[in-house]
Amino acid sequence: PPRPFFPPIGDPPPVMSVPSPVTLKEMLSLPALGVSPQFLTFNTVTLSSDKYICIREKTAAGQPQITIVDTSNPSQPIRRPLAADSALMNPVSKVMALRAGNQLQLFDFASRAKIKSFAATENIVYWAWVSPKVLGLVSPTAVYHWRADDATEPVKLFERHATLANAQIIDYIADESMDWFCLAGISAAEGGRVAGNLQLYCASKKVTQPIEGHAAAFHKLKLEGFDTTVFCFSSRTANSAKFHAIEVGYEKKPEGAPKYDKKQVAVYYPPEMPGDFPVALECSSKYAMAFLVTKMGYVHMYDLDTLTCLYMNRVTDTTMFATTQHSASGGLMGINRKGQVLALMINPQAVVPFVMNKLKNVELAIRIASRNGFPGAEALFETQFNEMFEEGNFRQAALIAAESPGGFLRTPATLQKFKAVPTEEGKPSNLLVYFQALLERGVLNKAEGLELGYQVVQVGRVQLLEKWIKEDKIECSEELGDLVKQSNPTLALAVYIKAKAHNKVIQSLIETGQTNKVAAYAKRVDLSANAMDLVQMASRYSPQAALELANSLNTQMVAMPSAKPASEHKAMFDMFMGRGMLQEATSYCLDNLKQDIADYGQLQTLCLEANLMNAPKVADAILQQDIWHHFDKPRVAMLCERAGLFQHALENYTDLADVKRVITNTHMIDPNVLLNYFGTLSPDDGVEVLEEVLRSNPKGNLNMCVRIGAKYTEQMGASNLMKVFSKVKIGEALYLYLGAVVNTSQDPEIHFKYIESSCKLQQWAELERVTRESNFYDPETVKNYLMEQKAKDPRPLINVCDRFGFVDELVKYMLKNGQKKFIEGYVQRVNPLRCPVVVGALLDLDTEPEFIQKLIMSVKNMVPVDELVTEVERRNSLKLLLPFLEARVGDGSTDTAVHSGLGKVYIECNINPEHFLDTNAYYDSRTVGAFCEKRDPYFAFAAYKRGKCDEELINVTNANSLFKEQAKYLVDRESPELWAKALSEENPYRKVIVDQVISSALLETKEPEKVSAAVKAFMAADLPQILMELLEKLVLQTSNSVFSRNKNLQNLLILTSMKSDKKRVMEYIRRLDNYDGDDVAQLAIGADLFEEAYAIYQRFEKFDEAMDVLLEHLKDFARAEEYAVKVDRPDVWTKLGEAQLTNGVISGGIQSLVRAKNPGPYKLVISAARQHATKEEYQIVVKFLKFA
């Protein structure tokens, strides 16, 4: 395109009458603020908005720091020592995003507090604030969003496109709806060119689109009153340079809404700047304008409606590496390499004249003026408006007025002009046509909205206003709210809220019963309201509304000017009381004095006083809640006493005289309250007051005083309370008090006094219970006391004696007093388990046996037999138990104690004891055996034998020389442990026992297993001589074929002799005939008993083995040859021949092989001949080889 003529910076402007549409201004210089030029780079300076500039730099000492420049106060930059790889200020607040490596943190710079942090798992290569609440994070592979207003972690939004894989990310942006996003990156291309790539992403569709471009921006444009999102981007390739604009999100617009046509224009780059390309694109925050910034410092300004380039100039000779919107002017703000912060501001007064006169484009000037409200085209709009109006084209005239710059034609005069035109029959009024056109293009202003309100109210169609107000199509005003209030109070409230008519809003909320919303509204709009006036206003409508409003205002802290909280509440209380609203005043205090502090003491007192004098029940309810404690207690207590609220009077009086006076009104005080009240008194005061209560009405207050005394015994002291109750002239007073505490007290005095009182009052049942259950009285004292009193009921004494072991004394006491029946009752009904002790005591007292036997038989199935037998046995009276024990056995009892006791009786009385000991299966062998030891050792042996009581049996047989019986027991028991003990060297009776075992015990047994066990025991005890003697008797000297022919015994006898008496081995080999020949022969060889081994092999006809012994062990070739002749077996001759050849006996060996008729070992013959043969022997060898 042709380049508009604009001089570069530094050249004097040409003389022209048309001013520039933009103004360039240096806002500040960063080097002037102390920022070193080395830190003025894309990586160290960030610009999220025109509010803050953030620089990462280092001090002169090399310490890292963050510098924040507030552009509204640049002379006072904030510097903080902070090390980070990147820092970003929030666009609207002093919240800073910091990144160090993969550690991310949001930090409130104002309060110096960390908001949240996160450890990223990927490298963050770029980040940017896409909204005040969302931080965009770009990694090598994806884009994430991290919210600043909650505790969530970053959330992945989309994957990076392949076209951006190796690109340097320079920007990431989003539209206002946070549905469309664009990621921008640059990379090196051929010929030294810089290529640009964009990635456009839609979150709702989850669709991404790669675009060739360097810079991009989103802008919200109004098209015929409809919001339209326009996506702008610019690119420069090797062949072209373009600026594009396209609508996104059209599908979300209402049906019939206009669409922004896709547009593109060529971008002019001066020929002297061949390497220039776009680095930033910013859309105006106020106007439909876009600013394209290039690397070489050029700025192009475009009208977004037509995509016409309105301005182009080089504003800086160094690159602007950071740019943003300049919100105040609707222009551009940027930072260049020199550290200049430049503002390119739109001059609204010059844009339209510039387009008309410089660009010579009147139509464009009109469109720009209409869309942006720029002055300069008013005359053209007014002329067109008048022409359309005079032609009767009222709709077109209305549209011109709607699109007039700054709405200068939308005046009350225009309204009157449309209103004055007569309406044709059957057609809508021209005024409504005017309003309709305005509503299509935008929002009605105050005057228009009010006039439209008059029109719809007149025809009764207020609901139309509600629709337009909800759509923000009408500028609301207080007058409009007043107009619709009569018809629709709710709609009027909405109008007041939008018009910010705060007083009318509050009035409407009160009138419509929404007082609970007043405080919230006042706080939301930051209204400095006078709470008292608001409440007084509400009181005119309803006391309840006034109360609700007062509470709401207090909760939301809408305070009265210059008032402390306590005085504020008092003023509100006084206001309610001044209007005679006691109930509301009380409710207000209850709702707002929940914080029980001393400052509220006066108001607490006033509220209680008012209610005690006018509404005592309310005062009673307040005091029962126990929520206030800082009121004037004496004053309130006096008023409570006058009102008959003795309970509360008692709670608040502190003088003891007042307490004594009030507390006597027990009939008017809740017993539970009275009970708890004594817990607040000191112990001495409590005793004194309790005595006063008892004295005033002994009968009526006794039960209550007993409860009080029982609860506070520990505090007041049991002895003090017993004195108080003892003074009362009511016999059971002390008894009742003690009865109330005895079950929880551990004081022995209380327990004894209660026993004493119960006995005096003949409370036998309670006396029996406490003596049975209590663990805290002194049993000796109580026993003596009960015996002295000779109580008619014996149960208490029985309980004491039974529990604490005084049964002997109990029996003596009862016998002395002729109470045998009580003894029977104690044993039969109270504790049959004590029968043995009772029987022992009766025996000690020489009681007739018949009574004792009868007593035992009465509890025969419950009495502990062990103890009974012990007691009777100790007194040598076992015969007394014979009927009892036989009866138990006759009943089928298998109890060990019963049968053991019966055994003792039989033994003591000599009633066939042997039969019992041998046949009874239930007695305890140890018990009966021990009993028998002193009477008959043989009976003890029998008992121990039956129970296998090894240790006891050994002891009793040793002690009584019953060695034969012990030996037989050892053989029968077959216990290795028992044998080891009996055969131990430490046993002095070992020899006697061994003699008995050998001479009788083993010979009498018929079971080989027992013999085997005995033999093993002797072996384990290492007694070979004795073992040999034993085995000879069993094998050689007995007629019992079971043992004499027993292979194991024969083997054992031979083996034992090998170890202990080798001379006798040959004898045993010859005399015995049922041993294991092979095994015994091998053992004999191992013991160097070669002759014995040879004899065994001969006997068992083991020819080869016998020849082996002669040749290998005895090495007697002569005997070997004799043996071979004797048995004349080929295998024997072969073995002999081979041995002879091996030992050099050539001729003898060949002769043996010939006799064996075995030519097989010919190789051996050849080998032996070569080593040992003489000339004569060679002839024999030759003959053998021929034979072979």
Side-chain angles (χ1 to χ4, degrees):
R3 173 187 175 187
F5 175 74
F6 294 108
I9 276 184
D11 293 344
V15 179
M16 57 179 67
S17 59
V18 180
S20 174
V22 295
T23 302
L24 181 64
K25 176 185 177 182
E26 181 179 309
M27 299 177 64
L28 59 103
S29 172
L30 294 178
L33 299 178
V35 179
S36 174
Q38 64 176 314
F39 301 115
L40 298 174
T41 67
F42 177 78
N43 292 323
T44 55
V45 179
T46 55
L47 190 65
S48 299
S49 70
D50 61 352
K51 191 173 180 64
Y52 300 108
I53 303 170
C54 185
I55 307 108
R56 290 187 303 111
E57 57 178 343
K58 290 185 179 180
T59 64
Q63 297 298 319
Q65 69 176 6
I66 299 291
T67 300
I68 301 173
V69 179
D70 186 341
T71 56
S72 63
N73 186 19
S75 61
Q76 295 182 351
I78 302 172
R79 286 185 166 90
R80 296 285 185 270
L82 199 62
D85 296 334
S86 181
L88 289 174
M89 285 298 295
N90 186 275
V92 298
S93 65
K94 284 191 176 182
V95 172
M96 178 182 288
L98 297 170
R99 176 170 58 85
N102 288 348
Q103 295 293 325
L104 311 179
Q105 184 181 115
L106 295 183
F107 186 79
D108 190 332
F109 218 77
S111 62
R112 300 186 183 183
K114 183 174 74 171
I115 299 173
K116 61 190 296 189
S117 62
F118 175 72
T121 56
E122 294 185 82
N123 292 330
I124 304 301
V125 298
Y126 183 82
W127 61 345
W129 289 99
V130 293
S131 80
K133 294 182 179 179
V134 177
L135 187 65
L137 310 175
V138 183
S139 78
T141 60
V143 176
Y144 300 83
H145 278 187
W146 194 22
R147 296 194 63 87
D149 57 351
D150 59 26
T152 59
E153 295 183 351
V155 177
K156 183 177 179 179
L157 186 63
F158 61 90
E159 299 278 350
R160 280 177 57 171
H161 195 267
T163 56
L164 288 167
N166 299 316
Q168 176 191 354
I169 304 301
I170 60 172
D171 201 7
Y172 177 58
I173 57 173
D175 75 323
E176 288 187 11
S177 68
M178 295 294 288
D179 189 34
W180 291 89
F181 305 90
C182 184
L183 186 63
I186 58 175
S187 58
E190 295 180 359
R193 190 175 59 85
V194 175
N197 288 283
L198 305 175
Q199 181 179 354
L200 181 64
Y201 178 77
C202 178
S204 58
K205 297 179 181 178
K206 293 183 170 50
V207 173
T208 191
Q209 179 181 351
I211 301 172
E212 191 173 18
H214 292 77
F218 291 101
H219 185 72
K220 188 166 74 173
L221 196 66
K222 282 280 187 181
L223 284 184
E224 298 183 14
F226 293 94
D227 288 337
T228 302
T229 301
V230 178
F231 174 59
C232 312
F233 64 96
S234 179
S235 64
R236 186 177 188 186
T237 65
N239 303 317
S240 65
K242 296 290 181 71
F243 182 78
H244 305 261
I246 184 173
E247 180 178 356
V248 293
Y250 174 77
E251 65 279 356
K252 293 186 178 180
K253 294 168 70 173
E255 185 178 354
K259 184 176 182 180
Y260 181 88
D261 294 330
K262 180 179 180 181
K263 300 176 178 65
Q264 71 173 25
V265 295
V267 179
Y268 175 79
Y269 286 94
E272 64 272 18
M273 302 292 182
D276 201 7
F277 63 90
V279 294
L281 183 59
E282 299 287 349
C283 292
S284 172
S285 60
K286 298 175 67 175
Y287 308 116
M289 300 290 177
F291 297 90
L292 178 63
V293 183
T294 73
K295 184 177 187 300
M296 296 303 177
Y298 285 88
V299 174
H300 303 244
M301 185 174 79
Y302 289 87
D303 168 41
L304 285 177
D305 188 15
T306 60
L307 220 62
T308 302
C309 182
L310 304 180
Y311 173 85
M312 170 188 166
N313 205 349
R314 191 179 189 189
V315 299
T316 172
D317 57 357
T318 60
T319 303
M320 277 202 291
F321 59 84
T323 62
T324 188
Q325 298 171 342
H326 189 252
S327 57
S329 68
L332 171 73
M333 173 178 164
I335 305 173
N336 64 15
R337 298 281 186 187
K338 294 180 179 180
Q340 292 175 300
V341 181
L342 303 176
L344 193 66
M345 300 178 289
I346 294 177
N347 185 358
Q349 304 296 327
V351 175
V352 172
F354 180 84
V355 174
M356 293 177 65
N357 299 317
K358 188 68 178 178
L359 302 184
K360 307 299 183 180
N361 193 334
V362 177
E363 182 182 355
L364 178 61
I366 292 173
R367 293 185 67 168
I368 290 175
S370 174
R371 179 170 298 284
N372 298 287
F374 292 148
E378 289 83 353
L380 293 174
F381 275 87
E382 188 171 4
T383 300
Q384 288 183 352
F385 173 77
N386 291 330
E387 288 177 357
M388 293 297 105
F389 199 88
E390 289 174 2
E391 292 176 2
N393 193 345
F394 299 114
R395 174 170 174 76
Q396 192 62 36
L399 289 173
I400 293 171
E403 295 178 355
S404 62
F408 79 96
L409 287 175
R410 296 170 59 176
T411 62
T414 303
L415 275 175
Q416 291 302 321
K417 197 170 183 177
F418 276 97
K419 193 174 182 181
V421 178
T423 303
E424 296 182 18
E425 186 176 352
K427 293 185 177 181
S429 69
N430 293 309
L431 184 60
L432 291 179
V433 171
Y434 174 63
F435 287 142
Q436 184 178 5
L438 294 179
L439 289 170
E440 289 176 0
R441 290 296 188 267
V443 180
L444 300 186
N445 60 30
K446 178 178 177 181
E448 294 161 352
L450 187 59
E451 182 60 36
L452 180 59
Y454 282 125
Q455 298 295 323
V456 297
V457 168
Q458 285 179 359
V459 297
R461 300 185 67 183
V462 181
Q463 66 274 13
L464 293 175
L465 274 181
E466 185 174 0
K467 175 179 177 296
W468 292 324
I469 289 171
K470 284 183 179 179
E471 295 175 354
D472 289 328
K473 288 288 188 178
I474 298 177
E475 181 183 345
C476 293
S477 63
E478 185 175 341
E479 294 82 356
L480 181 60
D482 294 340
L483 178 64
V484 302
K485 186 174 182 179
Q486 296 299 324
S487 303
N488 193 332
T490 304
L491 180 60
L493 176 60
V495 173
Y496 289 141
I497 292 173
K498 288 180 177 290
K500 298 182 180 180
H502 302 316
N503 290 333
K504 288 294 182 72
V505 172
I506 292 172
Q507 181 180 341
S508 295
L509 288 172
I510 294 172
E511 291 175 353
T512 56
Q514 301 181 68
T515 53
N516 59 324
K517 298 181 180 179
V518 172
Y521 177 79
K523 184 178 181 181
R524 179 163 59 86
V525 300
D526 197 21
L527 180 64
S528 298
N530 189 314
M532 188 67 69
D533 293 340
L534 294 176
V535 175
Q536 287 179 345
M537 181 193 306
S539 67
R540 290 195 293 269
Y541 298 97
S542 165
Q544 183 62 31
L547 174 62
E548 291 179 4
L549 180 57
N551 288 335
S552 298
L553 292 173
N554 183 66
T555 302
Q556 299 296 331
M557 294 182 290
V558 180
M560 292 180 293
S562 304
K564 295 181 180 180
S567 59
E568 173 188 341
H569 295 315
K570 184 177 183 302
M572 194 67 74
F573 175 80
D574 292 341
M575 188 277 294
F576 280 118
M577 292 299 296
R579 292 177 175 269
M581 298 164 64
L582 174 61
Q583 181 178 349
E584 287 70 23
T586 304
S587 297
Y588 176 81
C589 290
L590 290 174
D591 291 336
N592 296 284
L593 302 187
K594 293 180 180 179
Q595 188 178 6
D596 187 24
I597 58 176
D599 290 348
Y600 295 160
Q602 181 185 4
L603 190 52
Q604 292 175 0
T605 304
L606 291 174
C607 183
L608 289 171
E609 279 183 353
N611 282 283
L612 284 168
M613 290 187 288
N614 298 283
K617 290 185 178 180
V618 176
D620 181 28
I622 295 172
L623 291 169
Q624 282 183 0
Q625 294 180 36
D626 193 30
I627 55 176
W628 294 341
H629 303 92
H630 296 282
F631 52 82
D632 186 345
K633 293 188 177 181
R635 170 71 176 163
V636 171
M638 180 188 68
L639 293 174
C640 287
E641 186 176 3
R642 291 179 182 176
L645 301 177
F646 298 109
Q647 171 182 325
H648 300 305
L650 189 64
E651 292 170 348
N652 292 288
Y653 272 133
T654 55
D655 186 77
L656 196 60
D658 294 330
V659 171
K660 286 183 176 181
R661 181 181 70 254
V662 173
I663 204 168
T664 55
N665 297 284
T666 53
H667 60 290
M668 297 288 287
I669 303 175
D670 184 349
N672 292 325
V673 172
L674 195 62
L675 183 65
N676 293 330
Y677 174 73
F678 272 85
T680 65
L681 299 175
S682 66
D684 294 339
D685 289 347
V687 173
E688 188 174 343
V689 173
L690 183 65
E691 189 172 1
E692 178 65 22
V693 174
L694 268 174
R695 186 197 60 76
S696 64
N697 186 0
K699 290 186 178 180
N701 295 336
L702 178 59
N703 289 333
M704 172 53 65
C705 291
V706 167
R707 288 183 61 193
I708 294 169
K711 184 172 183 178
Y712 300 106
T713 292
E714 187 175 349
Q715 293 92 322
M716 297 182 185
S719 58
N720 294 331
L721 291 172
M722 284 190 284
K723 291 178 183 177
V724 170
F725 285 102
S726 297
K727 293 178 182 178
V728 181
K729 297 179 179 179
I730 299 176
E732 65 272 17
L734 180 60
Y735 170 75
L736 292 175
Y737 162 68
L738 293 171
V741 300
V742 71
N743 293 330
T744 57
S745 173
Q746 298 182 9
D747 187 346
E749 183 182 2
I750 289 178
H751 287 258
F752 179 72
K753 287 291 185 182
Y754 184 63
I755 291 171
E756 192 177 51
S757 298
S758 300
C759 189
K760 290 180 180 178
L761 296 174
Q762 297 186 0
Q763 298 291 332
W764 307 120
E766 190 62 17
L767 182 59
E768 188 277 332
R769 182 194 68 80
V770 74
T771 54
R772 173 168 40 83
E773 296 179 355
S774 173
N775 295 317
F776 303 106
Y777 58 80
D778 179 53
E780 184 71 28
T781 303
V782 173
K783 178 202 69 176
N784 294 336
Y785 172 78
L786 293 175
M787 287 182 175
E788 291 172 3
Q789 296 298 316
K790 295 184 178 179
K792 295 180 180 180
D793 190 336
R795 292 178 300 167
L797 180 60
I798 289 174
N799 287 341
V800 176
C801 295
D802 178 63
R803 291 181 61 199
F804 298 101
F806 300 136
V807 177
D808 286 349
E809 296 181 56
L810 176 66
V811 172
K812 292 177 182 177
Y813 171 81
M814 289 183 172
L815 282 178
K816 181 179 179 181
N817 290 280
Q819 297 177 337
K820 282 188 177 181
K821 289 185 178 181
F822 290 160
I823 296 175
E824 290 179 342
Y826 167 60
V827 172
Q828 293 169 1
R829 291 188 293 274
V830 178
N831 193 353
L833 299 179
R834 289 288 190 175
C835 178
V837 182
V838 173
V839 168
L842 291 173
L843 287 172
D844 292 339
L845 296 172
D846 296 328
T847 307
E848 54 274 18
E850 293 79 8
F851 176 76
I852 297 175
Q853 288 180 331
K854 181 181 177 182
L855 180 65
I856 295 172
M857 291 299 290
S858 67
V859 291
K860 71 173 183 177
N861 293 322
M862 293 177 284
V863 63
V865 178
D866 268 342
E867 297 178 21
L868 180 62
V869 171
T870 300
E871 292 291 337
V872 176
E873 181 183 346
R874 189 183 302 157
R875 293 167 174 83
N876 298 318
S877 300
L878 279 173
K879 187 176 181 180
L880 182 72
L881 298 179
L882 183 60
F884 160 69
L885 294 172
E886 287 183 338
R888 287 290 300 274
V889 173
D891 292 341
S893 173
T894 58
D895 183 29
T896 300
V898 171
H899 288 267
S900 298
L902 184 61
K904 290 180 180 181
V905 174
Y906 283 167
I907 292 166
E908 182 74 15
C909 300
N910 197 23
I911 303 175
N912 199 5
E914 296 92 342
H915 176 73
F916 176 84
L917 293 174
D918 292 339
T919 59
N920 189 281
Y922 302 111
Y923 70 87
D924 182 86
S925 297
R926 282 188 174 82
T927 302
V928 175
F931 178 80
C932 295
E933 283 189 21
K934 298 178 180 179
R935 291 164 175 78
D936 190 330
Y938 184 78
F939 290 161
F941 166 75
Y944 290 145
K945 177 182 176 183
R946 173 259 190 191
K948 297 181 180 179
C949 305
D950 297 337
E951 186 173 354
E952 291 83 355
L953 184 144
I954 295 297
N955 292 335
V956 74
T957 52
N958 286 340
N960 295 280
S961 300
L962 300 174
F963 300 116
K964 184 176 181 179
E965 287 77 7
Q966 184 182 144
K968 190 173 187 316
Y969 179 76
L970 288 170
V971 172
D972 292 339
R973 187 75 170 83
E974 300 181 55
S975 170
E977 295 80 8
L978 188 60
W979 270 113
K981 187 175 182 180
L983 298 178
S984 171
E985 292 182 3
E986 300 175 358
N987 183 8
Y989 306 103
R990 182 173 73 169
K991 186 176 184 309
V992 183
I993 294 171
V994 168
D995 291 343
Q996 292 296 328
V997 169
I998 294 173
S999 62
S1000 62
L1002 284 176
L1003 296 178
E1004 293 175 3
T1005 186
K1006 305 296 183 182
E1007 301 176 33
E1009 293 80 7
K1010 294 181 179 180
V1011 174
S1012 177
V1015 170
K1016 290 178 181 178
F1018 279 99
M1019 292 175 65
D1022 194 20
L1023 300 172
Q1025 293 296 333
I1026 298 175
L1027 180 59
M1028 285 179 60
E1029 182 182 353
L1030 168 64
L1031 292 173
E1032 278 191 359
K1033 287 198 174 187
L1034 289 174
V1035 177
L1036 300 176
Q1037 300 176 14
T1038 180
S1039 60
N1040 189 339
S1041 62
V1042 174
F1043 297 142
S1044 64
R1045 297 288 299 166
N1046 188 283
K1047 180 178 290 189
N1048 291 332
L1049 295 178
Q1050 291 189 13
N1051 289 338
L1052 190 57
L1053 177 58
I1054 296 172
L1055 295 178
T1056 304
S1057 64
M1058 287 182 186
K1059 291 181 180 180
S1060 59
D1061 192 354
K1062 294 183 178 181
K1063 295 178 179 180
R1064 304 188 65 180
V1065 174
M1066 186 63 77
E1067 177 188 354
Y1068 293 147
I1069 288 172
R1070 291 172 179 169
R1071 295 181 62 182
L1072 301 177
D1073 59 1
N1074 194 28
Y1075 54 86
D1076 290 320
D1078 286 344
D1079 295 338
V1080 173
Q1082 288 295 326
L1083 292 173
I1085 293 171
D1088 294 335
L1089 301 175
F1090 304 126
E1091 292 292 347
E1092 288 80 355
Y1094 173 67
I1096 294 172
Y1097 285 136
Q1098 272 193 308
R1099 181 164 190 173
F1100 286 91
E1101 297 182 348
K1102 298 290 183 177
F1103 307 112
D1104 286 353
E1105 289 81 355
M1107 179 59 73
D1108 285 338
V1109 171
L1110 291 171
L1111 295 174
E1112 294 179 11
H1113 299 290
L1114 293 175
K1115 299 186 184 300
D1116 191 341
F1117 286 89
R1119 288 179 65 187
E1121 190 171 353
E1122 292 175 3
Y1123 180 69
V1125 172
K1126 180 179 177 182
V1127 298
D1128 194 19
R1129 291 173 59 89
D1131 52 340
V1132 175
W1133 281 114
T1134 299
K1135 191 176 288 291
L1136 175 61
E1138 290 176 346
Q1140 288 172 328
L1141 287 171
T1142 302
N1143 286 274
V1145 184
I1146 305 299
S1147 59
I1150 292 174
Q1151 290 177 3
S1152 296
L1153 292 177
V1154 171
R1155 298 189 69 172
K1157 300 179 181 180
N1158 182 8
Y1162 68 90
K1163 291 183 179 180
L1164 180 60
V1165 172
I1166 295 171
S1167 175
R1170 286 176 177 174
Q1171 294 180 19
H1172 307 290
T1174 62
K1175 291 181 180 182
E1176 294 79 9
E1177 291 175 333
Y1178 269 112
Q1179 295 178 0
I1180 301 173
V1181 172
V1182 172
K1183 288 181 181 180
F1184 176 79
L1185 292 176
K1186 289 179 178 180
F1187 163 74

